[in-house]
């Protein structure tokens, strides 16, 4: 068998197993295919005829060459992750004697801080008029996003039976089928009650139905949130996850309770939540710069 064909065949077999055994999405399989295809191309060009000839040093050289080609830290991390998955699979099947990716790390990707809406922008956004078609629904949707910090998928899949408006609570099925109970604020409760009064509902009725009574699609919510922001004069790039970011930042800013915010957001790892401490610090730094008489040097003052 021709060497490049043999290398590529191992990749195809691995991707087939991911599709069948782990039910990976087409998007994930396409990305892995591109990453592993790049590795096969590099191995062929550099005299590596079989997977057993790929050493840790050779794999490190491959990642370095991809870095020189301009791949970002995030792309390199994904590329190395794909390589690591394939090599571990080959090791389990006895095709290689050792995993050359063990202990190998891609350059860290700089973590971008999420943008948030300030309290005034958020107030302007949620106060959409309710005397227009779908106005009650839109108000309820925006208020619930901001009140409870829901993910887009959580809001789309929400049923009336998960809401206890009397107690101000919502039961959310989050990532990994993990359930959490989240408070629902007064304004969101009022908006949801007004929206519910428009139709006869059961516990299984979607809170926000789309066509045919099925739950509204994520894409429909994304487009609607963008439209509503423009109508309300909020000119940042507004999307559902921005409302979740704003919720988390505002709660942390007021409470300082990082663990509490972690539970409200449903983060498995507090490291994911810690990004909001940086947002909070940025806010405090701006307050300090604006308020403290000696926070900044005056223009032209000596260093």
């Amino acid at each position: 068998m021709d060497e490049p064909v043999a290398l590529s065949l191992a990749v195809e077999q691995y991707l087939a197993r991911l599709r069948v055994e782990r039910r990976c999405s087409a998007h994930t399989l396409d990305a892995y295919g591109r990453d592993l295809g790049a590795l096969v191309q590099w191995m062929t060009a550099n005299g590596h005829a079989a997977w057993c000839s790929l050493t840790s040093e050779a794999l490190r050289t491959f990642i370095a060459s991809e870095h020189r080609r301009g791949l970002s830290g995030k792309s390199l991390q994904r590329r190395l992750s794909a390589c690591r998955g394939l090599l571990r699979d080959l090791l389990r099947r006895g095709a290689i004697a050792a995993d050359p990716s063990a202990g190998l790390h891609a350059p860290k990707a700089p973590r971008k801080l999420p943008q948030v809406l300030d309290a005034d922008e958020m107030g302007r956004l949620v106060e959409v008029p309710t005397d227009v078609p779908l106005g009650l629904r839109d108000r309820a949707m925006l208020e619930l996003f901001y009140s409870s910090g829901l993910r887009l998928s959580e809001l789309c899949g929400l049923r009336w039976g998960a809401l206890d408006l009397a107690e101000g609570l919502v039961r959310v099925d989050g990532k990994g089928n993990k359930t959490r109970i989240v408070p629902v604020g007064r304004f969101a409760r009022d908006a949801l009650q007004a929206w519910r009064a428009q139709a006869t509902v059961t516990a299984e009725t979607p809170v926000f139905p789309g066509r045919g009574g099925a739950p509204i699609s994520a894409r429909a919510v994304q487009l609607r949130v963008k439209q509503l922001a423009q109508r309300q004069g909020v000119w940042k790039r507004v999307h559902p996850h921005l409302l979740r970011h704003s919720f988390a930042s505002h709660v942390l800013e007021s409470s300082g309770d990082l663990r509490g915010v972690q539970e409200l957001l449903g983060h498995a790892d507090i490291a994911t939540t810690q990004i909001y401490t940086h947002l909070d610090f940025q806010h405090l730094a701006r307050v300090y710069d604006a308020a403290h008489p000696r926070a900044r040097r005056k223009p032209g003052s000596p260093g």
Side-chain angles (χ1 to χ4, degrees), residues 37-82:
L39 175 60
V40 167
Q41 186 177 16
W42 182 88
M43 289 176 65
T44 303
N46 288 274
H48 294 278
W51 289 106
C52 58
S53 72
L54 186 66
T55 63
S56 294
E57 186 60 35
L59 186 57
R60 186 176 288 108
T61 301
F62 164 67
I63 294 297
S65 70
E66 295 294 274
H67 186 40
R68 287 193 298 273
R69 283 202 312 115
L71 261 68
S72 67
K74 187 174 182 179
S75 296
L76 289 171
Q77 288 175 353
R78 193 200 64 222
R79 188 146 292 185
L80 181 57
S81 176

Side-chain angles (χ1 to χ4, degrees), residues 18-240:
L18 288 182
R19 182 174 60 252
V20 174
E21 297 172 9
R22 293 178 52 184
R23 300 182 183 275
C24 288
S25 68
H27 176 76
T28 298
L29 294 172
D30 286 344
Y32 270 43
R34 288 192 299 272
D35 291 331
L36 296 173
L39 175 60
V40 167
Q41 186 177 16
W42 182 88
M43 289 176 65
T44 303
N46 288 274
H48 294 278
W51 289 106
C52 58
S53 72
L54 186 66
T55 63
S56 294
E57 186 60 35
L59 186 57
R60 186 176 288 108
T61 301
F62 164 67
I63 294 297
S65 70
E66 295 294 274
H67 186 40
R68 287 193 298 273
R69 283 202 312 115
L71 261 68
S72 67
K74 187 174 182 179
S75 296
L76 289 171
Q77 288 175 353
R78 193 200 64 222
R79 188 146 292 185
L80 181 57
S81 176
C83 295
R84 187 177 287 117
L86 170 64
L87 293 166
R88 287 175 178 172
D89 183 68
L90 292 172
L91 181 64
R92 283 193 298 270
R93 293 169 49 238
I96 57 176
D99 177 5
S101 70
L104 191 60
H105 301 284
K108 287 187 177 181
R111 193 167 190 183
K112 294 181 180 179
L113 294 178
Q115 189 181 46
V116 298
L117 298 178
D118 61 33
D120 289 340
E121 291 171 323
M122 200 65 239
R124 190 158 70 248
L125 174 62
V126 298
E127 291 174 1
V128 294
T130 57
D131 56 350
V132 297
L134 295 179
L136 290 171
R137 185 205 67 177
D138 292 340
R139 172 76 69 91
M141 186 168 63
L142 293 172
E143 289 281 12
L144 184 58
F145 263 136
Y146 180 50
S147 162
S148 305
L150 301 189
R151 296 181 178 95
L152 174 58
S153 59
E154 294 168 348
L155 180 130
C156 290
L158 193 65
R159 310 277 176 164
W160 282 110
L163 277 162
D164 184 343
L165 296 181
E167 294 295 327
L169 298 171
V170 59
R171 186 182 70 255
V172 179
D173 295 323
K175 286 186 176 179
N177 291 323
K178 292 182 179 177
T179 300
R180 69 185 190 280
I181 306 296
V182 185
V184 179
R186 176 170 59 86
F187 290 102
R189 288 158 65 183
D190 291 345
L192 286 162
Q193 286 170 340
W195 168 234
R196 186 174 61 180
Q198 300 303 297
T200 301
V201 301
T202 69
E204 291 303 311
T205 303
V207 175
F208 302 105
R211 292 180 179 177
I216 193 171
S217 71
R219 185 58 180 158
V221 175
Q222 289 169 333
L223 291 173
R224 190 61 173 170
V225 168
K226 181 179 179 180
Q227 292 170 352
L228 292 170
Q230 292 173 350
R231 290 183 189 177
Q232 295 299 104
V234 180
W235 299 111
K236 290 180 179 176
R237 192 178 73 85
V238 180
H239 50 88

